[in-house]
Amino acid sequence: MTTTPSPVTIRATDGPGQPERTPQLESLYRQFESELLVPLWAEIGELMPAEPHSKALPHLWRWRNLMPMAEQAGSLVPVGRGGERRAIALANPGLGGRPFATPMLWAAIQYLKPHEDAPVHRHTQNAFRFVVEGEGVWTVVNGDPVAMRRGDFLPQAGWHWHGHHNRSDRPMAWIDGLDIPFQHYTDATFFEFGTDDVGTRETPERSRSERLWAHPGLRPLTHLTPTPATPLLAYRWEYTDRALSDQLALEAEGCTATVEPGHAAVRYTNPTTGGDVLPTLRTEFHRLAPDTATAAVREVGSSVFQVFDGTGEVTVGEARWTVERGDLFVVPSWTTLSLATDTGLDLFRFSDTPVFERLHLDRTYQEGPHA
């Protein structure tokens, strides 16, 4: 009979609060190992640090490098059962090669060729699509075709059937965001194949969900029950752009409208609750006016940003980059973030903050002149 080696390894160390290293202590530690036990005094510094120290690292992915590789994948990799999506995930360099942007967030560039379909499936992971350039693809969610265009934010709650079809003569790419790492870690994932065909070739200007829900401040009396995720499947760029422009215009008129001088921001919300669009994901859009610098901020929870337009300087912890349209970058938990721009900067952001808020573990600290 073979004995499986214990995965537990305990080493006696010298240090404050540590017991004297003796043969008896070493023997006790070997007994702990054989019984799969770990003493707190040997692990407390890692398990209970004074503040969060994320394994994820600040990192930047250049859109100008991602797009040629996505295009090459389009010529080499089919879309169909097995692979399901031509999606290329961001792998944070601190997470051991896993396809995770942060410990809780998945981000990927997805690429669909002209007149190509991505088959229907559903999964418990909450998801969204954000379009930084292009148009011509309709995502079909539970039979409702939803147009995808530059600047549009398209959320999709878990366990909804969805597929995509490109009705144009040009390829299209966008970013996907999901809570895959969170659900994977918690062993909560379910997945199911649907039909190979998306089921409809309709290409309406407005989806059924928009016709019902995309009327500011107005709610249909037939749908008064709160839902855990938004029933609105498209948040159109023209409304986001107008809201941000109006905030900066009001600020110029002396009204309180921006989160800090020159920094307009909006949060995408669920019209049935006023809360986040998805239970585990927060999504926002930020606009910095020319010659604006933000305060340095640290938050519990991680974020992924994509530059929608403009250029600027981003500082995340000790990393500093000049960013431009399409670039994606990660802000790990409790890592300082500050932004600056001379010409103006538009940024889409998603984060795992709702999870920490529900657990009452959220915390924010702001430094600098705007604190």
Side-chain angles (χ1 to χ4, degrees), residues 282-318:
R282 174 163 294 169
T283 52
E284 299 173 344
F285 203 102
H286 294 252
R287 172 169 291 170
L288 273 60
D291 300 315
T292 294
T294 69
V297 176
R298 285 184 288 168
E299 297 179 349
V300 168
S302 55
S303 297
V304 178
F305 286 78
Q306 184 171 38
V307 178
F308 181 70
D309 215 349
T311 60
E313 187 174 85
V314 175
T315 303
V316 182
E318 300 299 317

PDB file of all heavy atoms in Angstrom, residues 282-318:
ATOM      1  N   ARG A 282     -19.301  45.692 -11.209  1.00  0.00           N
ATOM      2  CA  ARG A 282     -19.643  47.109 -11.298  1.00  0.00           C
ATOM      3  C   ARG A 282     -19.017  47.671 -12.566  1.00  0.00           C
ATOM      4  O   ARG A 282     -17.856  47.377 -12.877  1.00  0.00           O
ATOM      5  CB  ARG A 282     -19.136  47.861 -10.077  1.00  0.00           C
ATOM      6  CG  ARG A 282     -19.326  49.386 -10.159  1.00  0.00           C
ATOM      7  CD  ARG A 282     -19.194  50.019  -8.796  1.00  0.00           C
ATOM      8  NE  ARG A 282     -20.307  49.571  -7.949  1.00  0.00           N
ATOM      9  CZ  ARG A 282     -20.376  49.764  -6.634  1.00  0.00           C
ATOM     10  NH1 ARG A 282     -19.375  50.388  -6.012  1.00  0.00           N
ATOM     11  NH2 ARG A 282     -21.406  49.336  -5.955  1.00  0.00           N
ATOM     12  N   THR A 283     -19.783  48.461 -13.294  1.00  0.00           N
ATOM     13  CA  THR A 283     -19.287  49.029 -14.541  1.00  0.00           C
ATOM     14  C   THR A 283     -19.525  50.534 -14.537  1.00  0.00           C
ATOM     15  O   THR A 283     -20.595  51.005 -14.145  1.00  0.00           O
ATOM     16  CB  THR A 283     -19.966  48.386 -15.761  1.00  0.00           C
ATOM     17  OG1 THR A 283     -21.387  48.451 -15.596  1.00  0.00           O
ATOM     18  CG2 THR A 283     -19.542  46.938 -15.911  1.00  0.00           C
ATOM     19  N   GLU A 284     -18.521  51.266 -14.994  1.00  0.00           N
ATOM     20  CA  GLU A 284     -18.563  52.725 -14.975  1.00  0.00           C
ATOM     21  C   GLU A 284     -17.883  53.280 -16.225  1.00  0.00           C
ATOM     22  O   GLU A 284     -17.145  52.571 -16.920  1.00  0.00           O
ATOM     23  CB  GLU A 284     -17.843  53.269 -13.735  1.00  0.00           C
ATOM     24  CG  GLU A 284     -18.446  52.843 -12.417  1.00  0.00           C
ATOM     25  CD  GLU A 284     -17.616  53.268 -11.216  1.00  0.00           C
ATOM     26  OE1 GLU A 284     -16.429  53.618 -11.395  1.00  0.00           O
ATOM     27  OE2 GLU A 284     -18.163  53.250 -10.095  1.00  0.00           O
ATOM     28  N   PHE A 285     -18.124  54.575 -16.459  1.00  0.00           N
ATOM     29  CA  PHE A 285     -17.401  55.280 -17.512  1.00  0.00           C
ATOM     30  C   PHE A 285     -16.901  56.594 -16.916  1.00  0.00           C
ATOM     31  O   PHE A 285     -17.650  57.298 -16.227  1.00  0.00           O
ATOM     32  CB  PHE A 285     -18.302  55.550 -18.719  1.00  0.00           C
ATOM     33  CG  PHE A 285     -17.534  55.761 -19.994  1.00  0.00           C
ATOM     34  CD1 PHE A 285     -17.441  54.752 -20.941  1.00  0.00           C
ATOM     35  CD2 PHE A 285     -16.881  56.958 -20.252  1.00  0.00           C
ATOM     36  CE1 PHE A 285     -16.715  54.934 -22.117  1.00  0.00           C
ATOM     37  CE2 PHE A 285     -16.163  57.159 -21.413  1.00  0.00           C
ATOM     38  CZ  PHE A 285     -16.077  56.148 -22.348  1.00  0.00           C
ATOM     39  N   HIS A 286     -15.627  56.898 -17.185  1.00  0.00           N
ATOM     40  CA  HIS A 286     -14.980  58.080 -16.627  1.00  0.00           C
ATOM     41  C   HIS A 286     -14.453  58.961 -17.764  1.00  0.00           C
ATOM     42  O   HIS A 286     -13.902  58.453 -18.739  1.00  0.00           O
ATOM     43  CB  HIS A 286     -13.820  57.672 -15.719  1.00  0.00           C
ATOM     44  CG  HIS A 286     -14.257  56.949 -14.489  1.00  0.00           C
ATOM     45  ND1 HIS A 286     -14.211  57.510 -13.230  1.00  0.00           N
ATOM     46  CD2 HIS A 286     -14.772  55.696 -14.319  1.00  0.00           C
ATOM     47  CE1 HIS A 286     -14.666  56.641 -12.342  1.00  0.00           C
ATOM     48  NE2 HIS A 286     -15.004  55.531 -12.978  1.00  0.00           N
ATOM     49  N   ARG A 287     -14.629  60.265 -17.589  1.00  0.00           N
ATOM     50  CA  ARG A 287     -14.106  61.228 -18.562  1.00  0.00           C
ATOM     51  C   ARG A 287     -13.292  62.291 -17.832  1.00  0.00           C
ATOM     52  O   ARG A 287     -13.801  62.929 -16.904  1.00  0.00           O
ATOM     53  CB  ARG A 287     -15.236  61.883 -19.341  1.00  0.00           C
ATOM     54  CG  ARG A 287     -14.778  63.048 -20.246  1.00  0.00           C
ATOM     55  CD  ARG A 287     -15.884  63.488 -21.186  1.00  0.00           C
ATOM     56  NE  ARG A 287     -16.139  62.456 -22.193  1.00  0.00           N
ATOM     57  CZ  ARG A 287     -17.170  62.480 -23.034  1.00  0.00           C
ATOM     58  NH1 ARG A 287     -18.056  63.475 -22.973  1.00  0.00           N
ATOM     59  NH2 ARG A 287     -17.326  61.507 -23.931  1.00  0.00           N
ATOM     60  N   LEU A 288     -12.040  62.440 -18.267  1.00  0.00           N
ATOM     61  CA  LEU A 288     -11.185  63.504 -17.740  1.00  0.00           C
ATOM     62  C   LEU A 288     -11.081  64.609 -18.782  1.00  0.00           C
ATOM     63  O   LEU A 288     -10.733  64.348 -19.938  1.00  0.00           O
ATOM     64  CB  LEU A 288      -9.791  62.965 -17.416  1.00  0.00           C
ATOM     65  CG  LEU A 288      -9.565  62.355 -16.025  1.00  0.00           C
ATOM     66  CD1 LEU A 288     -10.475  61.160 -15.788  1.00  0.00           C
ATOM     67  CD2 LEU A 288      -8.111  61.940 -15.861  1.00  0.00           C
ATOM     68  N   ALA A 289     -11.404  65.811 -18.358  1.00  0.00           N
ATOM     69  CA  ALA A 289     -11.254  66.967 -19.243  1.00  0.00           C
ATOM     70  C   ALA A 289      -9.773  67.243 -19.483  1.00  0.00           C
ATOM     71  O   ALA A 289      -8.908  66.772 -18.728  1.00  0.00           O
ATOM     72  CB  ALA A 289     -11.923  68.186 -18.610  1.00  0.00           C
ATOM     73  N   PRO A 290      -9.425  67.984 -20.528  1.00  0.00           N
ATOM     74  CA  PRO A 290      -8.013  68.341 -20.743  1.00  0.00           C
ATOM     75  C   PRO A 290      -7.417  69.012 -19.514  1.00  0.00           C
ATOM     76  O   PRO A 290      -8.109  69.725 -18.764  1.00  0.00           O
ATOM     77  CB  PRO A 290      -8.074  69.293 -21.939  1.00  0.00           C
ATOM     78  CG  PRO A 290      -9.304  68.878 -22.682  1.00  0.00           C
ATOM     79  CD  PRO A 290     -10.289  68.480 -21.629  1.00  0.00           C
ATOM     80  N   ASP A 291      -6.130  68.738 -19.293  1.00  0.00           N
ATOM     81  CA  ASP A 291      -5.373  69.330 -18.181  1.00  0.00           C
ATOM     82  C   ASP A 291      -5.970  68.955 -16.821  1.00  0.00           C
ATOM     83  O   ASP A 291      -6.137  69.792 -15.931  1.00  0.00           O
ATOM     84  CB  ASP A 291      -5.292  70.855 -18.320  1.00  0.00           C
ATOM     85  CG  ASP A 291      -4.600  71.279 -19.604  1.00  0.00           C
ATOM     86  OD1 ASP A 291      -3.553  70.690 -19.927  1.00  0.00           O
ATOM     87  OD2 ASP A 291      -5.127  72.169 -20.294  1.00  0.00           O
ATOM     88  N   THR A 292      -6.317  67.670 -16.675  1.00  0.00           N
ATOM     89  CA  THR A 292      -6.895  67.160 -15.428  1.00  0.00           C
ATOM     90  C   THR A 292      -5.988  66.085 -14.847  1.00  0.00           C
ATOM     91  O   THR A 292      -5.442  65.250 -15.575  1.00  0.00           O
ATOM     92  CB  THR A 292      -8.296  66.576 -15.674  1.00  0.00           C
ATOM     93  OG1 THR A 292      -9.169  67.623 -16.068  1.00  0.00           O
ATOM     94  CG2 THR A 292      -8.848  65.904 -14.420  1.00  0.00           C
ATOM     95  N   ALA A 293      -5.843  66.105 -13.530  1.00  0.00           N
ATOM     96  CA  ALA A 293      -5.152  65.038 -12.796  1.00  0.00           C
ATOM     97  C   ALA A 293      -6.049  64.627 -11.643  1.00  0.00           C
ATOM     98  O   ALA A 293      -6.619  65.470 -10.944  1.00  0.00           O
ATOM     99  CB  ALA A 293      -3.803  65.522 -12.274  1.00  0.00           C
ATOM    100  N   THR A 294      -6.192  63.326 -11.435  1.00  0.00           N
ATOM    101  CA  THR A 294      -7.055  62.833 -10.363  1.00  0.00           C
ATOM    102  C   THR A 294      -6.257  62.653  -9.083  1.00  0.00           C
ATOM    103  O   THR A 294      -5.028  62.544  -9.093  1.00  0.00           O
ATOM    104  CB  THR A 294      -7.684  61.489 -10.733  1.00  0.00           C
ATOM    105  OG1 THR A 294      -6.664  60.471 -10.750  1.00  0.00           O
ATOM    106  CG2 THR A 294      -8.365  61.551 -12.090  1.00  0.00           C
ATOM    107  N   ALA A 295      -6.983  62.596  -7.979  1.00  0.00           N
ATOM    108  CA  ALA A 295      -6.368  62.211  -6.717  1.00  0.00           C
ATOM    109  C   ALA A 295      -5.954  60.749  -6.788  1.00  0.00           C
ATOM    110  O   ALA A 295      -6.518  59.955  -7.555  1.00  0.00           O
ATOM    111  CB  ALA A 295      -7.349  62.428  -5.570  1.00  0.00           C
ATOM    112  N   ALA A 296      -4.975  60.372  -5.984  1.00  0.00           N
ATOM    113  CA  ALA A 296      -4.566  58.975  -5.887  1.00  0.00           C
ATOM    114  C   ALA A 296      -5.532  58.248  -4.961  1.00  0.00           C
ATOM    115  O   ALA A 296      -5.830  58.714  -3.860  1.00  0.00           O
ATOM    116  CB  ALA A 296      -3.144  58.883  -5.349  1.00  0.00           C
ATOM    117  N   VAL A 297      -6.030  57.090  -5.420  1.00  0.00           N
ATOM    118  CA  VAL A 297      -7.051  56.350  -4.689  1.00  0.00           C
ATOM    119  C   VAL A 297      -6.638  54.891  -4.566  1.00  0.00           C
ATOM    120  O   VAL A 297      -6.093  54.298  -5.500  1.00  0.00           O
ATOM    121  CB  VAL A 297      -8.417  56.444  -5.412  1.00  0.00           C
ATOM    122  CG1 VAL A 297      -9.464  55.595  -4.716  1.00  0.00           C
ATOM    123  CG2 VAL A 297      -8.878  57.886  -5.491  1.00  0.00           C
ATOM    124  N   ARG A 298      -6.926  54.312  -3.393  1.00  0.00           N
ATOM    125  CA  ARG A 298      -6.793  52.867  -3.182  1.00  0.00           C
ATOM    126  C   ARG A 298      -8.149  52.307  -2.788  1.00  0.00           C
ATOM    127  O   ARG A 298      -8.866  52.906  -1.986  1.00  0.00           O
ATOM    128  CB  ARG A 298      -5.781  52.569  -2.076  1.00  0.00           C
ATOM    129  CG  ARG A 298      -4.332  52.747  -2.480  1.00  0.00           C
ATOM    130  CD  ARG A 298      -3.401  52.339  -1.352  1.00  0.00           C
ATOM    131  NE  ARG A 298      -3.428  53.314  -0.259  1.00  0.00           N
ATOM    132  CZ  ARG A 298      -2.889  53.104   0.934  1.00  0.00           C
ATOM    133  NH1 ARG A 298      -2.323  51.936   1.207  1.00  0.00           N
ATOM    134  NH2 ARG A 298      -2.928  54.048   1.857  1.00  0.00           N
ATOM    135  N   GLU A 299      -8.491  51.138  -3.337  1.00  0.00           N
ATOM    136  CA  GLU A 299      -9.761  50.493  -3.025  1.00  0.00           C
ATOM    137  C   GLU A 299      -9.553  49.003  -2.795  1.00  0.00           C
ATOM    138  O   GLU A 299      -8.701  48.380  -3.444  1.00  0.00           O
ATOM    139  CB  GLU A 299     -10.752  50.673  -4.171  1.00  0.00           C
ATOM    140  CG  GLU A 299     -11.146  52.103  -4.459  1.00  0.00           C
ATOM    141  CD  GLU A 299     -12.118  52.227  -5.610  1.00  0.00           C
ATOM    142  OE1 GLU A 299     -12.335  51.211  -6.317  1.00  0.00           O
ATOM    143  OE2 GLU A 299     -12.660  53.313  -5.801  1.00  0.00           O
ATOM    144  N   VAL A 300     -10.331  48.445  -1.886  1.00  0.00           N
ATOM    145  CA  VAL A 300     -10.397  46.988  -1.776  1.00  0.00           C
ATOM    146  C   VAL A 300     -11.189  46.476  -2.978  1.00  0.00           C
ATOM    147  O   VAL A 300     -12.280  46.970  -3.274  1.00  0.00           O
ATOM    148  CB  VAL A 300     -11.072  46.561  -0.460  1.00  0.00           C
ATOM    149  CG1 VAL A 300     -11.389  45.065  -0.492  1.00  0.00           C
ATOM    150  CG2 VAL A 300     -10.175  46.884   0.720  1.00  0.00           C
ATOM    151  N   GLY A 301     -10.647  45.499  -3.676  1.00  0.00           N
ATOM    152  CA  GLY A 301     -11.243  45.004  -4.910  1.00  0.00           C
ATOM    153  C   GLY A 301     -10.427  45.456  -6.104  1.00  0.00           C
ATOM    154  O   GLY A 301      -9.695  46.449  -6.053  1.00  0.00           O
ATOM    155  N   SER A 302     -10.539  44.720  -7.192  1.00  0.00           N
ATOM    156  CA  SER A 302      -9.716  44.973  -8.366  1.00  0.00           C
ATOM    157  C   SER A 302     -10.541  45.553  -9.506  1.00  0.00           C
ATOM    158  O   SER A 302     -11.770  45.423  -9.539  1.00  0.00           O
ATOM    159  CB  SER A 302      -9.052  43.673  -8.828  1.00  0.00           C
ATOM    160  OG  SER A 302     -10.034  42.660  -9.047  1.00  0.00           O
ATOM    161  N   SER A 303      -9.853  46.178 -10.453  1.00  0.00           N
ATOM    162  CA  SER A 303     -10.501  46.821 -11.592  1.00  0.00           C
ATOM    163  C   SER A 303      -9.731  46.544 -12.876  1.00  0.00           C
ATOM    164  O   SER A 303      -8.511  46.342 -12.852  1.00  0.00           O
ATOM    165  CB  SER A 303     -10.576  48.344 -11.405  1.00  0.00           C
ATOM    166  OG  SER A 303     -11.355  48.701 -10.293  1.00  0.00           O
ATOM    167  N   VAL A 304     -10.465  46.578 -13.980  1.00  0.00           N
ATOM    168  CA  VAL A 304      -9.879  46.579 -15.322  1.00  0.00           C
ATOM    169  C   VAL A 304     -10.417  47.812 -16.036  1.00  0.00           C
ATOM    170  O   VAL A 304     -11.622  48.087 -16.002  1.00  0.00           O
ATOM    171  CB  VAL A 304     -10.239  45.308 -16.111  1.00  0.00           C
ATOM    172  CG1 VAL A 304      -9.653  45.377 -17.522  1.00  0.00           C
ATOM    173  CG2 VAL A 304      -9.743  44.060 -15.390  1.00  0.00           C
ATOM    174  N   PHE A 305      -9.527  48.563 -16.668  1.00  0.00           N
ATOM    175  CA  PHE A 305      -9.893  49.755 -17.433  1.00  0.00           C
ATOM    176  C   PHE A 305      -9.578  49.524 -18.902  1.00  0.00           C
ATOM    177  O   PHE A 305      -8.588  48.865 -19.237  1.00  0.00           O
ATOM    178  CB  PHE A 305      -9.092  50.973 -16.972  1.00  0.00           C
ATOM    179  CG  PHE A 305      -9.505  51.565 -15.653  1.00  0.00           C
ATOM    180  CD1 PHE A 305      -9.126  50.976 -14.458  1.00  0.00           C
ATOM    181  CD2 PHE A 305     -10.260  52.732 -15.608  1.00  0.00           C
ATOM    182  CE1 PHE A 305      -9.488  51.534 -13.241  1.00  0.00           C
ATOM    183  CE2 PHE A 305     -10.618  53.301 -14.398  1.00  0.00           C
ATOM    184  CZ  PHE A 305     -10.235  52.704 -13.205  1.00  0.00           C
ATOM    185  N   GLN A 306     -10.408  50.101 -19.773  1.00  0.00           N
ATOM    186  CA  GLN A 306     -10.056  50.211 -21.187  1.00  0.00           C
ATOM    187  C   GLN A 306     -10.179  51.662 -21.609  1.00  0.00           C
ATOM    188  O   GLN A 306     -11.181  52.331 -21.312  1.00  0.00           O
ATOM    189  CB  GLN A 306     -10.926  49.343 -22.091  1.00  0.00           C
ATOM    190  CG  GLN A 306     -10.452  49.415 -23.550  1.00  0.00           C
ATOM    191  CD  GLN A 306     -11.112  48.438 -24.477  1.00  0.00           C
ATOM    192  OE1 GLN A 306     -12.304  48.159 -24.365  1.00  0.00           O
ATOM    193  NE2 GLN A 306     -10.345  47.910 -25.429  1.00  0.00           N
ATOM    194  N   VAL A 307      -9.151  52.146 -22.304  1.00  0.00           N
ATOM    195  CA  VAL A 307      -9.173  53.506 -22.831  1.00  0.00           C
ATOM    196  C   VAL A 307     -10.099  53.532 -24.042  1.00  0.00           C
ATOM    197  O   VAL A 307      -9.883  52.821 -25.017  1.00  0.00           O
ATOM    198  CB  VAL A 307      -7.755  53.972 -23.234  1.00  0.00           C
ATOM    199  CG1 VAL A 307      -7.815  55.380 -23.821  1.00  0.00           C
ATOM    200  CG2 VAL A 307      -6.815  53.914 -22.042  1.00  0.00           C
ATOM    201  N   PHE A 308     -11.130  54.354 -23.955  1.00  0.00           N
ATOM    202  CA  PHE A 308     -12.073  54.481 -25.065  1.00  0.00           C
ATOM    203  C   PHE A 308     -11.602  55.524 -26.070  1.00  0.00           C
ATOM    204  O   PHE A 308     -11.728  55.352 -27.278  1.00  0.00           O
ATOM    205  CB  PHE A 308     -13.459  54.835 -24.535  1.00  0.00           C
ATOM    206  CG  PHE A 308     -14.500  54.955 -25.605  1.00  0.00           C
ATOM    207  CD1 PHE A 308     -14.941  53.828 -26.285  1.00  0.00           C
ATOM    208  CD2 PHE A 308     -15.051  56.182 -25.941  1.00  0.00           C
ATOM    209  CE1 PHE A 308     -15.905  53.921 -27.286  1.00  0.00           C
ATOM    210  CE2 PHE A 308     -16.009  56.292 -26.935  1.00  0.00           C
ATOM    211  CZ  PHE A 308     -16.441  55.159 -27.609  1.00  0.00           C
ATOM    212  N   ASP A 309     -11.053  56.613 -25.549  1.00  0.00           N
ATOM    213  CA  ASP A 309     -10.569  57.666 -26.439  1.00  0.00           C
ATOM    214  C   ASP A 309      -9.592  58.554 -25.674  1.00  0.00           C
ATOM    215  O   ASP A 309      -9.595  58.594 -24.445  1.00  0.00           O
ATOM    216  CB  ASP A 309     -11.730  58.507 -26.957  1.00  0.00           C
ATOM    217  CG  ASP A 309     -11.510  58.986 -28.393  1.00  0.00           C
ATOM    218  OD1 ASP A 309     -10.371  58.847 -28.894  1.00  0.00           O
ATOM    219  OD2 ASP A 309     -12.464  59.484 -29.011  1.00  0.00           O
ATOM    220  N   GLY A 310      -8.761  59.273 -26.428  1.00  0.00           N
ATOM    221  CA  GLY A 310      -7.816  60.200 -25.832  1.00  0.00           C
ATOM    222  C   GLY A 310      -6.525  59.530 -25.418  1.00  0.00           C
ATOM    223  O   GLY A 310      -6.289  58.339 -25.662  1.00  0.00           O
ATOM    224  N   THR A 311      -5.678  60.315 -24.776  1.00  0.00           N
ATOM    225  CA  THR A 311      -4.401  59.824 -24.265  1.00  0.00           C
ATOM    226  C   THR A 311      -4.199  60.381 -22.857  1.00  0.00           C
ATOM    227  O   THR A 311      -4.775  61.400 -22.479  1.00  0.00           O
ATOM    228  CB  THR A 311      -3.221  60.259 -25.150  1.00  0.00           C
ATOM    229  OG1 THR A 311      -3.182  61.697 -25.189  1.00  0.00           O
ATOM    230  CG2 THR A 311      -3.343  59.716 -26.556  1.00  0.00           C
ATOM    231  N   GLY A 312      -3.373  59.689 -22.093  1.00  0.00           N
ATOM    232  CA  GLY A 312      -3.098  60.167 -20.743  1.00  0.00           C
ATOM    233  C   GLY A 312      -2.024  59.334 -20.085  1.00  0.00           C
ATOM    234  O   GLY A 312      -1.485  58.391 -20.672  1.00  0.00           O
ATOM    235  N   GLU A 313      -1.716  59.704 -18.854  1.00  0.00           N
ATOM    236  CA  GLU A 313      -0.720  58.990 -18.060  1.00  0.00           C
ATOM    237  C   GLU A 313      -1.426  58.300 -16.899  1.00  0.00           C
ATOM    238  O   GLU A 313      -2.194  58.928 -16.166  1.00  0.00           O
ATOM    239  CB  GLU A 313       0.344  59.948 -17.536  1.00  0.00           C
ATOM    240  CG  GLU A 313       1.502  59.235 -16.842  1.00  0.00           C
ATOM    241  CD  GLU A 313       2.614  60.194 -16.452  1.00  0.00           C
ATOM    242  OE1 GLU A 313       2.519  60.794 -15.370  1.00  0.00           O
ATOM    243  OE2 GLU A 313       3.565  60.336 -17.257  1.00  0.00           O
ATOM    244  N   VAL A 314      -1.157  57.022 -16.754  1.00  0.00           N
ATOM    245  CA  VAL A 314      -1.762  56.198 -15.712  1.00  0.00           C
ATOM    246  C   VAL A 314      -0.672  55.731 -14.770  1.00  0.00           C
ATOM    247  O   VAL A 314       0.370  55.222 -15.211  1.00  0.00           O
ATOM    248  CB  VAL A 314      -2.479  54.977 -16.330  1.00  0.00           C
ATOM    249  CG1 VAL A 314      -3.006  54.050 -15.240  1.00  0.00           C
ATOM    250  CG2 VAL A 314      -3.599  55.418 -17.253  1.00  0.00           C
ATOM    251  N   THR A 315      -0.899  55.883 -13.476  1.00  0.00           N
ATOM    252  CA  THR A 315       0.018  55.386 -12.466  1.00  0.00           C
ATOM    253  C   THR A 315      -0.724  54.384 -11.598  1.00  0.00           C
ATOM    254  O   THR A 315      -1.751  54.722 -10.979  1.00  0.00           O
ATOM    255  CB  THR A 315       0.568  56.522 -11.594  1.00  0.00           C
ATOM    256  OG1 THR A 315       1.200  57.490 -12.435  1.00  0.00           O
ATOM    257  CG2 THR A 315       1.578  55.991 -10.589  1.00  0.00           C
ATOM    258  N   VAL A 316      -0.236  53.140 -11.572  1.00  0.00           N
ATOM    259  CA  VAL A 316      -0.823  52.079 -10.759  1.00  0.00           C
ATOM    260  C   VAL A 316       0.292  51.516  -9.884  1.00  0.00           C
ATOM    261  O   VAL A 316       1.192  50.834 -10.381  1.00  0.00           O
ATOM    262  CB  VAL A 316      -1.439  50.963 -11.622  1.00  0.00           C
ATOM    263  CG1 VAL A 316      -2.091  49.910 -10.728  1.00  0.00           C
ATOM    264  CG2 VAL A 316      -2.451  51.528 -12.602  1.00  0.00           C
ATOM    265  N   GLY A 317       0.249  51.832  -8.593  1.00  0.00           N
ATOM    266  CA  GLY A 317       1.344  51.436  -7.726  1.00  0.00           C
ATOM    267  C   GLY A 317       2.637  52.061  -8.205  1.00  0.00           C
ATOM    268  O   GLY A 317       2.742  53.279  -8.368  1.00  0.00           O
ATOM    269  N   GLU A 318       3.642  51.221  -8.468  1.00  0.00           N
ATOM    270  CA  GLU A 318       4.933  51.703  -8.957  1.00  0.00           C
ATOM    271  C   GLU A 318       5.011  51.765 -10.476  1.00  0.00           C
ATOM    272  O   GLU A 318       6.004  52.224 -11.031  1.00  0.00           O
ATOM    273  CB  GLU A 318       6.055  50.786  -8.432  1.00  0.00           C
ATOM    274  CG  GLU A 318       6.163  50.712  -6.917  1.00  0.00           C
ATOM    275  CD  GLU A 318       6.458  52.076  -6.308  1.00  0.00           C
ATOM    276  OE1 GLU A 318       7.314  52.800  -6.861  1.00  0.00           O
ATOM    277  OE2 GLU A 318       5.830  52.420  -5.290  1.00  0.00           O
TER     278      GLU A 318
END
